[in-house]
Structure formats: C-alpha cells, structure tokens
Amino acid sequence: MLGFLRDAGLAAADEVPAAAALTGGVSSDIWKVELRSGPVCVKRALPRLRVAQLWEVPVERNRYEWRWMQAAVRIAPGSAPRVLAHDEAGLFAMEFLDGERHPLWKSELRAGRAIPGFAREVGMRLARIHAASAGDAALAREFATDAGFHAIRLEPYLLATARVHPDLAARLQALAARTAATRTALVHGDVSPKNILVGPHGPVFLDAECAWYGDPAFDLAFCLNHLLLKCLWVPEAAPRFLACFDALGAAYLAVHAPAGLEERAATLLPGLLLARVDGKSPVEYLTEEAQQAHVRRVARALLATPPARLAEVREAWQGS
C-alpha cells in the first residue's frame, strides 16, 4: 500500500504514514491513511468474501469501482467520493469523508432516523446516473462486466436462493436471466444504506464493486429491498421506512421511467427479499426465525403472483 501511494505521488518517498483499518466491509480491505497532505481512504479488493459460505469473486472489480465513481461524479457531482489514484494490482485511493459530516445512512436508519426527504434525494440522484448513462455505447463497452456481475450478484443472490427453494427455482432463474440480458444503463450493483453516506449536499454512494452496464431496475429494487427489511430490524420506525420506500421509488420514477422498468423492479424485489435470508449473503440483523419467516411468506407469495407496480410490493409487505 505504501509503495502504491508513493508511486501515485500521494506520499513522499520518505513518508511513512499511519494507517488504520476501517471495519464494516466483507469484500475489501479498507484503510484510513494519514498523509502529510491530509487523510485518504485506500481500498483493496479481496478474492474471497468474508461470509459464511464460500464466495470467490474476481479482484478486477476494483478497477470498475474506480471507473464507476469517476463516471458518477461526472454525471452528478458529489454523488461519489473523489478518486485519487488506482493501480492494476487492485488498490485505489479516494478522498476520506469524515463520519461526523457524512454519517452512514444505515446507522441513521438503525437509530430510527428515516427521513423521506433524504430517501427522495437518493432516488433522484440514482435515477440521474441511470438516465444520463442510458444508451451510452462507450460506457456499455467500458462496463461489460457481465461475468463479474453474475459472480457477485446473480449467482449468490437469485441462483443460490433458487437452490434453497426448488419449487421457485424456475421463477428465480428467469429473474436472473432477464436481469443479465437487460443492458441499458450504468448500474452500481450495491445500492444499500450501508453504502450511502448522508452528506451535507446529498447522498454519496460508496462501494461500486459490482458496477455493470445492465439493468437499472436492479439498483432500484436492491435499495428498496433494504428499506423493507429494516422494518423488521427497527419495528417502531416501520412507518417511516415505508414512507422512505414510497419517496425513493416515486422520485426515481419521476426522473427515469422507461417502459418496463418499474415492473422489472417490482418483480425482482421479492427475489431479492428472499435472497437476504436464504442466499449467500443474508442480512446480519434478521436472526430470529419469526423475522425470516415473515420475509419468506411475503416473498414467496409475490414470486408466485408477480406484481407489476412497486406499490403492490409495499402493500403486500405492510399487510402481511
């Protein structure tokens, strides 16, 4: 790491900065490095993720995260940290954003601070990135990461879940195939509250390791999925989480709503719900059988009778 920082001109030849490992990630090593010029964040992708099941993924995803951040900032300034340097060995450096001024959205939600206005900004900013990148042939070539997206998202989420629920396997496999075949915009791939900072000028997206030129409905469904699951994590805040669900979805669709996108997001959402209890990456906070059973009950019913609108998913969740 020190050699990388020196080669990039971020650290002087005689500089040996202090570095502290940051916690929270399962797919990368992340450090805060105290350079003479100020702190930076350095990230290195891991070949094997820190989850219970064996999950190996290509480390070149680091390169695409770097490129996604560059593209996102061009489209929507402030939507990602400013990137500083990258090397082909799998390291990259970006600006360090202080948690005091940029709290993690997941931490805010855990505390019950679910603000529909911020969720609306998340939806609008994400939609701007999708809309501006739609139909961009150069970006489609640059982010032709189909194999990586399959390894990091489609296989461990939808296909792994299909093996646990053989009666729903055909449906889940069809969702994976449809998602893989839809290539219309630049996708982040991990739009989760744990990867969104509540910045003073709006949401800041982190951890774009799954970046892919594909189906923007995946990003929308992936984020909305977390807002539903949080209802079981912090039950007293459930009405506010559902208000955030409505605000985010409506704001997104007001900016970017090509034909079929909402239906794809709505039909994908129950598959992602089920994946977060029975796939390779279950959410860590739903540990009680009653919570998991709730998710399975709603998701299985929606997979059996696919919804056409996001509101149908919300109503099924709320009414269960």
Side-chain angles (χ1 to χ4, degrees), residues 99-129:
E100 292 289 324
R101 298 185 69 240
H102 298 81
L104 198 63
W105 195 25
K106 181 177 180 179
S107 299
E108 294 294 291
L109 296 177
R110 180 68 180 95
R113 292 188 289 270
I115 301 171
F118 180 77
R120 189 175 300 112
E121 291 185 46
V122 172
M124 291 176 62
R125 188 160 282 190
L126 183 63
R128 283 180 60 196
I129 294 169

PDB file of all heavy atoms in Angstrom, residues 99-129:
ATOM      1  N   GLY A  99     -16.839  10.896   9.068  1.00  0.00           N
ATOM      2  CA  GLY A  99     -18.133  10.417   9.517  1.00  0.00           C
ATOM      3  C   GLY A  99     -18.950  11.431  10.286  1.00  0.00           C
ATOM      4  O   GLY A  99     -20.179  11.310  10.374  1.00  0.00           O
ATOM      5  N   GLU A 100     -18.302  12.423  10.845  1.00  0.00           N
ATOM      6  CA  GLU A 100     -19.042  13.464  11.556  1.00  0.00           C
ATOM      7  C   GLU A 100     -19.942  14.257  10.610  1.00  0.00           C
ATOM      8  O   GLU A 100     -21.064  14.618  10.959  1.00  0.00           O
ATOM      9  CB  GLU A 100     -18.066  14.422  12.255  1.00  0.00           C
ATOM     10  CG  GLU A 100     -17.295  13.810  13.408  1.00  0.00           C
ATOM     11  CD  GLU A 100     -18.190  13.546  14.614  1.00  0.00           C
ATOM     12  OE1 GLU A 100     -19.110  14.368  14.851  1.00  0.00           O
ATOM     13  OE2 GLU A 100     -17.993  12.518  15.280  1.00  0.00           O
ATOM     14  N   ARG A 101     -19.424  14.521   9.417  1.00  0.00           N
ATOM     15  CA  ARG A 101     -20.190  15.296   8.430  1.00  0.00           C
ATOM     16  C   ARG A 101     -20.876  14.402   7.404  1.00  0.00           C
ATOM     17  O   ARG A 101     -21.737  14.873   6.660  1.00  0.00           O
ATOM     18  CB  ARG A 101     -19.265  16.279   7.694  1.00  0.00           C
ATOM     19  CG  ARG A 101     -18.614  17.306   8.597  1.00  0.00           C
ATOM     20  CD  ARG A 101     -17.804  18.315   7.818  1.00  0.00           C
ATOM     21  NE  ARG A 101     -18.654  19.194   7.013  1.00  0.00           N
ATOM     22  CZ  ARG A 101     -18.601  19.308   5.699  1.00  0.00           C
ATOM     23  NH1 ARG A 101     -17.745  18.575   5.000  1.00  0.00           N
ATOM     24  NH2 ARG A 101     -19.398  20.138   5.039  1.00  0.00           N
ATOM     25  N   HIS A 102     -20.485  13.127   7.374  1.00  0.00           N
ATOM     26  CA  HIS A 102     -21.045  12.195   6.403  1.00  0.00           C
ATOM     27  C   HIS A 102     -21.446  10.896   7.113  1.00  0.00           C
ATOM     28  O   HIS A 102     -20.832   9.852   6.906  1.00  0.00           O
ATOM     29  CB  HIS A 102     -20.026  11.882   5.297  1.00  0.00           C
ATOM     30  CG  HIS A 102     -19.607  13.051   4.485  1.00  0.00           C
ATOM     31  ND1 HIS A 102     -18.655  13.955   4.905  1.00  0.00           N
ATOM     32  CD2 HIS A 102     -20.016  13.478   3.252  1.00  0.00           C
ATOM     33  CE1 HIS A 102     -18.478  14.866   3.980  1.00  0.00           C
ATOM     34  NE2 HIS A 102     -19.291  14.609   2.975  1.00  0.00           N
ATOM     35  N   PRO A 103     -22.444  10.930   7.972  1.00  0.00           N
ATOM     36  CA  PRO A 103     -22.842   9.693   8.650  1.00  0.00           C
ATOM     37  C   PRO A 103     -23.371   8.659   7.651  1.00  0.00           C
ATOM     38  O   PRO A 103     -23.882   8.999   6.581  1.00  0.00           O
ATOM     39  CB  PRO A 103     -23.938  10.151   9.607  1.00  0.00           C
ATOM     40  CG  PRO A 103     -24.471  11.413   9.013  1.00  0.00           C
ATOM     41  CD  PRO A 103     -23.306  12.068   8.342  1.00  0.00           C
ATOM     42  N   LEU A 104     -23.242   7.403   8.036  1.00  0.00           N
ATOM     43  CA  LEU A 104     -23.722   6.313   7.194  1.00  0.00           C
ATOM     44  C   LEU A 104     -25.245   6.236   7.272  1.00  0.00           C
ATOM     45  O   LEU A 104     -25.823   6.286   8.361  1.00  0.00           O
ATOM     46  CB  LEU A 104     -23.083   5.005   7.675  1.00  0.00           C
ATOM     47  CG  LEU A 104     -23.094   3.810   6.730  1.00  0.00           C
ATOM     48  CD1 LEU A 104     -22.292   4.115   5.468  1.00  0.00           C
ATOM     49  CD2 LEU A 104     -22.516   2.590   7.448  1.00  0.00           C
ATOM     50  N   TRP A 105     -25.885   6.096   6.139  1.00  0.00           N
ATOM     51  CA  TRP A 105     -27.351   6.041   6.131  1.00  0.00           C
ATOM     52  C   TRP A 105     -27.855   4.846   6.942  1.00  0.00           C
ATOM     53  O   TRP A 105     -28.858   4.953   7.647  1.00  0.00           O
ATOM     54  CB  TRP A 105     -27.874   5.985   4.689  1.00  0.00           C
ATOM     55  CG  TRP A 105     -29.348   6.284   4.580  1.00  0.00           C
ATOM     56  CD1 TRP A 105     -30.097   7.020   5.449  1.00  0.00           C
ATOM     57  CD2 TRP A 105     -30.230   5.875   3.531  1.00  0.00           C
ATOM     58  NE1 TRP A 105     -31.408   7.096   5.009  1.00  0.00           N
ATOM     59  CE2 TRP A 105     -31.515   6.403   3.832  1.00  0.00           C
ATOM     60  CE3 TRP A 105     -30.061   5.134   2.360  1.00  0.00           C
ATOM     61  CZ2 TRP A 105     -32.625   6.187   3.006  1.00  0.00           C
ATOM     62  CZ3 TRP A 105     -31.166   4.926   1.530  1.00  0.00           C
ATOM     63  CH2 TRP A 105     -32.430   5.451   1.858  1.00  0.00           C
ATOM     64  N   LYS A 106     -27.155   3.732   6.882  1.00  0.00           N
ATOM     65  CA  LYS A 106     -27.580   2.559   7.655  1.00  0.00           C
ATOM     66  C   LYS A 106     -27.600   2.875   9.147  1.00  0.00           C
ATOM     67  O   LYS A 106     -28.522   2.471   9.866  1.00  0.00           O
ATOM     68  CB  LYS A 106     -26.657   1.372   7.378  1.00  0.00           C
ATOM     69  CG  LYS A 106     -27.061   0.108   8.130  1.00  0.00           C
ATOM     70  CD  LYS A 106     -26.163  -1.059   7.781  1.00  0.00           C
ATOM     71  CE  LYS A 106     -26.570  -2.315   8.538  1.00  0.00           C
ATOM     72  NZ  LYS A 106     -25.713  -3.475   8.196  1.00  0.00           N
ATOM     73  N   SER A 107     -26.602   3.607   9.627  1.00  0.00           N
ATOM     74  CA  SER A 107     -26.559   3.969  11.047  1.00  0.00           C
ATOM     75  C   SER A 107     -27.717   4.889  11.408  1.00  0.00           C
ATOM     76  O   SER A 107     -28.305   4.782  12.497  1.00  0.00           O
ATOM     77  CB  SER A 107     -25.230   4.644  11.376  1.00  0.00           C
ATOM     78  OG  SER A 107     -24.146   3.772  11.113  1.00  0.00           O
ATOM     79  N   GLU A 108     -28.042   5.806  10.499  1.00  0.00           N
ATOM     80  CA  GLU A 108     -29.172   6.698  10.733  1.00  0.00           C
ATOM     81  C   GLU A 108     -30.480   5.901  10.802  1.00  0.00           C
ATOM     82  O   GLU A 108     -31.321   6.143  11.675  1.00  0.00           O
ATOM     83  CB  GLU A 108     -29.250   7.744   9.618  1.00  0.00           C
ATOM     84  CG  GLU A 108     -28.081   8.717   9.601  1.00  0.00           C
ATOM     85  CD  GLU A 108     -28.068   9.601  10.841  1.00  0.00           C
ATOM     86  OE1 GLU A 108     -28.967  10.448  10.970  1.00  0.00           O
ATOM     87  OE2 GLU A 108     -27.171   9.413  11.687  1.00  0.00           O
ATOM     88  N   LEU A 109     -30.637   4.946   9.903  1.00  0.00           N
ATOM     89  CA  LEU A 109     -31.850   4.132   9.908  1.00  0.00           C
ATOM     90  C   LEU A 109     -31.923   3.253  11.150  1.00  0.00           C
ATOM     91  O   LEU A 109     -33.006   3.061  11.717  1.00  0.00           O
ATOM     92  CB  LEU A 109     -31.899   3.274   8.634  1.00  0.00           C
ATOM     93  CG  LEU A 109     -32.000   4.040   7.310  1.00  0.00           C
ATOM     94  CD1 LEU A 109     -31.955   3.070   6.140  1.00  0.00           C
ATOM     95  CD2 LEU A 109     -33.259   4.894   7.249  1.00  0.00           C
ATOM     96  N   ARG A 110     -30.780   2.750  11.583  1.00  0.00           N
ATOM     97  CA  ARG A 110     -30.760   1.921  12.792  1.00  0.00           C
ATOM     98  C   ARG A 110     -31.249   2.717  13.997  1.00  0.00           C
ATOM     99  O   ARG A 110     -31.901   2.170  14.906  1.00  0.00           O
ATOM    100  CB  ARG A 110     -29.330   1.398  13.061  1.00  0.00           C
ATOM    101  CG  ARG A 110     -29.239   0.520  14.315  1.00  0.00           C
ATOM    102  CD  ARG A 110     -29.984  -0.764  14.086  1.00  0.00           C
ATOM    103  NE  ARG A 110     -29.955  -1.655  15.232  1.00  0.00           N
ATOM    104  CZ  ARG A 110     -30.916  -1.714  16.167  1.00  0.00           C
ATOM    105  NH1 ARG A 110     -31.952  -0.890  16.096  1.00  0.00           N
ATOM    106  NH2 ARG A 110     -30.840  -2.582  17.160  1.00  0.00           N
ATOM    107  N   ALA A 111     -30.953   3.994  14.004  1.00  0.00           N
ATOM    108  CA  ALA A 111     -31.388   4.870  15.089  1.00  0.00           C
ATOM    109  C   ALA A 111     -32.827   5.359  14.896  1.00  0.00           C
ATOM    110  O   ALA A 111     -33.320   6.147  15.704  1.00  0.00           O
ATOM    111  CB  ALA A 111     -30.447   6.071  15.200  1.00  0.00           C
ATOM    112  N   GLY A 112     -33.484   4.887  13.845  1.00  0.00           N
ATOM    113  CA  GLY A 112     -34.863   5.285  13.590  1.00  0.00           C
ATOM    114  C   GLY A 112     -35.013   6.595  12.860  1.00  0.00           C
ATOM    115  O   GLY A 112     -36.134   7.083  12.678  1.00  0.00           O
ATOM    116  N   ARG A 113     -33.887   7.185  12.419  1.00  0.00           N
ATOM    117  CA  ARG A 113     -33.938   8.474  11.720  1.00  0.00           C
ATOM    118  C   ARG A 113     -34.122   8.224  10.221  1.00  0.00           C
ATOM    119  O   ARG A 113     -33.172   8.286   9.435  1.00  0.00           O
ATOM    120  CB  ARG A 113     -32.680   9.283  12.014  1.00  0.00           C
ATOM    121  CG  ARG A 113     -32.585   9.748  13.459  1.00  0.00           C
ATOM    122  CD  ARG A 113     -31.439  10.707  13.680  1.00  0.00           C
ATOM    123  NE  ARG A 113     -30.148  10.048  13.610  1.00  0.00           N
ATOM    124  CZ  ARG A 113     -29.509   9.512  14.640  1.00  0.00           C
ATOM    125  NH1 ARG A 113     -30.060   9.546  15.845  1.00  0.00           N
ATOM    126  NH2 ARG A 113     -28.323   8.941  14.496  1.00  0.00           N
ATOM    127  N   ALA A 114     -35.342   7.896   9.857  1.00  0.00           N
ATOM    128  CA  ALA A 114     -35.697   7.620   8.463  1.00  0.00           C
ATOM    129  C   ALA A 114     -36.423   8.828   7.909  1.00  0.00           C
ATOM    130  O   ALA A 114     -37.582   9.081   8.252  1.00  0.00           O
ATOM    131  CB  ALA A 114     -36.569   6.374   8.385  1.00  0.00           C
ATOM    132  N   ILE A 115     -35.746   9.578   7.061  1.00  0.00           N
ATOM    133  CA  ILE A 115     -36.270  10.857   6.570  1.00  0.00           C
ATOM    134  C   ILE A 115     -36.648  10.720   5.094  1.00  0.00           C
ATOM    135  O   ILE A 115     -35.768  10.526   4.244  1.00  0.00           O
ATOM    136  CB  ILE A 115     -35.220  11.975   6.752  1.00  0.00           C
ATOM    137  CG1 ILE A 115     -34.855  12.089   8.241  1.00  0.00           C
ATOM    138  CG2 ILE A 115     -35.734  13.295   6.215  1.00  0.00           C
ATOM    139  CD1 ILE A 115     -33.691  13.005   8.517  1.00  0.00           C
ATOM    140  N   PRO A 116     -37.928  10.781   4.759  1.00  0.00           N
ATOM    141  CA  PRO A 116     -38.328  10.620   3.361  1.00  0.00           C
ATOM    142  C   PRO A 116     -37.642  11.596   2.410  1.00  0.00           C
ATOM    143  O   PRO A 116     -37.362  11.251   1.257  1.00  0.00           O
ATOM    144  CB  PRO A 116     -39.843  10.847   3.409  1.00  0.00           C
ATOM    145  CG  PRO A 116     -40.233  10.439   4.796  1.00  0.00           C
ATOM    146  CD  PRO A 116     -39.086  10.880   5.663  1.00  0.00           C
ATOM    147  N   GLY A 117     -37.348  12.806   2.886  1.00  0.00           N
ATOM    148  CA  GLY A 117     -36.677  13.772   2.023  1.00  0.00           C
ATOM    149  C   GLY A 117     -35.318  13.290   1.561  1.00  0.00           C
ATOM    150  O   GLY A 117     -34.932  13.503   0.406  1.00  0.00           O
ATOM    151  N   PHE A 118     -34.574  12.633   2.457  1.00  0.00           N
ATOM    152  CA  PHE A 118     -33.273  12.109   2.047  1.00  0.00           C
ATOM    153  C   PHE A 118     -33.449  10.922   1.106  1.00  0.00           C
ATOM    154  O   PHE A 118     -32.715  10.793   0.116  1.00  0.00           O
ATOM    155  CB  PHE A 118     -32.433  11.705   3.257  1.00  0.00           C
ATOM    156  CG  PHE A 118     -31.082  11.170   2.872  1.00  0.00           C
ATOM    157  CD1 PHE A 118     -30.078  12.029   2.483  1.00  0.00           C
ATOM    158  CD2 PHE A 118     -30.836   9.807   2.861  1.00  0.00           C
ATOM    159  CE1 PHE A 118     -28.834  11.550   2.080  1.00  0.00           C
ATOM    160  CE2 PHE A 118     -29.600   9.307   2.467  1.00  0.00           C
ATOM    161  CZ  PHE A 118     -28.587  10.188   2.081  1.00  0.00           C
ATOM    162  N   ALA A 119     -34.411  10.046   1.409  1.00  0.00           N
ATOM    163  CA  ALA A 119     -34.675   8.915   0.512  1.00  0.00           C
ATOM    164  C   ALA A 119     -35.028   9.421  -0.885  1.00  0.00           C
ATOM    165  O   ALA A 119     -34.624   8.833  -1.897  1.00  0.00           O
ATOM    166  CB  ALA A 119     -35.800   8.061   1.077  1.00  0.00           C
ATOM    167  N   ARG A 120     -35.760  10.527  -0.935  1.00  0.00           N
ATOM    168  CA  ARG A 120     -36.109  11.118  -2.230  1.00  0.00           C
ATOM    169  C   ARG A 120     -34.846  11.547  -2.972  1.00  0.00           C
ATOM    170  O   ARG A 120     -34.717  11.333  -4.188  1.00  0.00           O
ATOM    171  CB  ARG A 120     -37.033  12.317  -1.990  1.00  0.00           C
ATOM    172  CG  ARG A 120     -37.643  12.893  -3.248  1.00  0.00           C
ATOM    173  CD  ARG A 120     -38.643  14.011  -2.920  1.00  0.00           C
ATOM    174  NE  ARG A 120     -39.733  13.494  -2.085  1.00  0.00           N
ATOM    175  CZ  ARG A 120     -39.942  13.820  -0.827  1.00  0.00           C
ATOM    176  NH1 ARG A 120     -39.135  14.696  -0.213  1.00  0.00           N
ATOM    177  NH2 ARG A 120     -40.948  13.311  -0.156  1.00  0.00           N
ATOM    178  N   GLU A 121     -33.890  12.121  -2.258  1.00  0.00           N
ATOM    179  CA  GLU A 121     -32.636  12.534  -2.898  1.00  0.00           C
ATOM    180  C   GLU A 121     -31.862  11.322  -3.415  1.00  0.00           C
ATOM    181  O   GLU A 121     -31.237  11.385  -4.477  1.00  0.00           O
ATOM    182  CB  GLU A 121     -31.780  13.309  -1.902  1.00  0.00           C
ATOM    183  CG  GLU A 121     -32.319  14.675  -1.529  1.00  0.00           C
ATOM    184  CD  GLU A 121     -31.351  15.423  -0.625  1.00  0.00           C
ATOM    185  OE1 GLU A 121     -30.143  15.438  -0.913  1.00  0.00           O
ATOM    186  OE2 GLU A 121     -31.810  15.994   0.383  1.00  0.00           O
ATOM    187  N   VAL A 122     -31.881  10.223  -2.666  1.00  0.00           N
ATOM    188  CA  VAL A 122     -31.221   9.001  -3.132  1.00  0.00           C
ATOM    189  C   VAL A 122     -31.839   8.550  -4.453  1.00  0.00           C
ATOM    190  O   VAL A 122     -31.140   8.243  -5.424  1.00  0.00           O
ATOM    191  CB  VAL A 122     -31.326   7.880  -2.076  1.00  0.00           C
ATOM    192  CG1 VAL A 122     -30.810   6.555  -2.644  1.00  0.00           C
ATOM    193  CG2 VAL A 122     -30.542   8.246  -0.822  1.00  0.00           C
ATOM    194  N   GLY A 123     -33.174   8.516  -4.504  1.00  0.00           N
ATOM    195  CA  GLY A 123     -33.840   8.093  -5.725  1.00  0.00           C
ATOM    196  C   GLY A 123     -33.544   9.007  -6.901  1.00  0.00           C
ATOM    197  O   GLY A 123     -33.278   8.538  -8.016  1.00  0.00           O
ATOM    198  N   MET A 124     -33.553  10.305  -6.668  1.00  0.00           N
ATOM    199  CA  MET A 124     -33.300  11.258  -7.747  1.00  0.00           C
ATOM    200  C   MET A 124     -31.871  11.157  -8.259  1.00  0.00           C
ATOM    201  O   MET A 124     -31.632  11.152  -9.467  1.00  0.00           O
ATOM    202  CB  MET A 124     -33.585  12.680  -7.263  1.00  0.00           C
ATOM    203  CG  MET A 124     -35.045  12.970  -6.999  1.00  0.00           C
ATOM    204  SD  MET A 124     -35.321  14.631  -6.314  1.00  0.00           S
ATOM    205  CE  MET A 124     -34.692  15.648  -7.655  1.00  0.00           C
ATOM    206  N   ARG A 125     -30.914  11.057  -7.342  1.00  0.00           N
ATOM    207  CA  ARG A 125     -29.513  11.017  -7.759  1.00  0.00           C
ATOM    208  C   ARG A 125     -29.200   9.720  -8.500  1.00  0.00           C
ATOM    209  O   ARG A 125     -28.489   9.721  -9.522  1.00  0.00           O
ATOM    210  CB  ARG A 125     -28.604  11.195  -6.538  1.00  0.00           C
ATOM    211  CG  ARG A 125     -27.144  11.355  -6.883  1.00  0.00           C
ATOM    212  CD  ARG A 125     -26.342  11.993  -5.746  1.00  0.00           C
ATOM    213  NE  ARG A 125     -26.536  13.442  -5.691  1.00  0.00           N
ATOM    214  CZ  ARG A 125     -25.818  14.261  -4.921  1.00  0.00           C
ATOM    215  NH1 ARG A 125     -24.873  13.773  -4.124  1.00  0.00           N
ATOM    216  NH2 ARG A 125     -26.034  15.561  -4.932  1.00  0.00           N
ATOM    217  N   LEU A 126     -29.733   8.614  -8.006  1.00  0.00           N
ATOM    218  CA  LEU A 126     -29.532   7.338  -8.690  1.00  0.00           C
ATOM    219  C   LEU A 126     -30.161   7.368 -10.076  1.00  0.00           C
ATOM    220  O   LEU A 126     -29.550   6.921 -11.065  1.00  0.00           O
ATOM    221  CB  LEU A 126     -30.147   6.216  -7.846  1.00  0.00           C
ATOM    222  CG  LEU A 126     -29.982   4.793  -8.371  1.00  0.00           C
ATOM    223  CD1 LEU A 126     -28.511   4.407  -8.421  1.00  0.00           C
ATOM    224  CD2 LEU A 126     -30.765   3.824  -7.483  1.00  0.00           C
ATOM    225  N   ALA A 127     -31.359   7.916 -10.174  1.00  0.00           N
ATOM    226  CA  ALA A 127     -32.037   7.989 -11.462  1.00  0.00           C
ATOM    227  C   ALA A 127     -31.279   8.875 -12.449  1.00  0.00           C
ATOM    228  O   ALA A 127     -31.242   8.594 -13.653  1.00  0.00           O
ATOM    229  CB  ALA A 127     -33.464   8.504 -11.267  1.00  0.00           C
ATOM    230  N   ARG A 128     -30.683   9.955 -11.961  1.00  0.00           N
ATOM    231  CA  ARG A 128     -29.890  10.825 -12.843  1.00  0.00           C
ATOM    232  C   ARG A 128     -28.730  10.067 -13.461  1.00  0.00           C
ATOM    233  O   ARG A 128     -28.429  10.225 -14.650  1.00  0.00           O
ATOM    234  CB  ARG A 128     -29.369  12.034 -12.061  1.00  0.00           C
ATOM    235  CG  ARG A 128     -30.398  13.119 -11.799  1.00  0.00           C
ATOM    236  CD  ARG A 128     -29.774  14.271 -11.026  1.00  0.00           C
ATOM    237  NE  ARG A 128     -28.656  14.885 -11.748  1.00  0.00           N
ATOM    238  CZ  ARG A 128     -27.756  15.683 -11.190  1.00  0.00           C
ATOM    239  NH1 ARG A 128     -27.835  15.965  -9.891  1.00  0.00           N
ATOM    240  NH2 ARG A 128     -26.786  16.207 -11.917  1.00  0.00           N
ATOM    241  N   ILE A 129     -28.058   9.245 -12.656  1.00  0.00           N
ATOM    242  CA  ILE A 129     -26.927   8.466 -13.175  1.00  0.00           C
ATOM    243  C   ILE A 129     -27.410   7.472 -14.220  1.00  0.00           C
ATOM    244  O   ILE A 129     -26.804   7.314 -15.292  1.00  0.00           O
ATOM    245  CB  ILE A 129     -26.197   7.763 -12.014  1.00  0.00           C
ATOM    246  CG1 ILE A 129     -25.553   8.810 -11.099  1.00  0.00           C
ATOM    247  CG2 ILE A 129     -25.149   6.785 -12.542  1.00  0.00           C
ATOM    248  CD1 ILE A 129     -25.036   8.254  -9.785  1.00  0.00           C
TER     249      ILE A 129
END
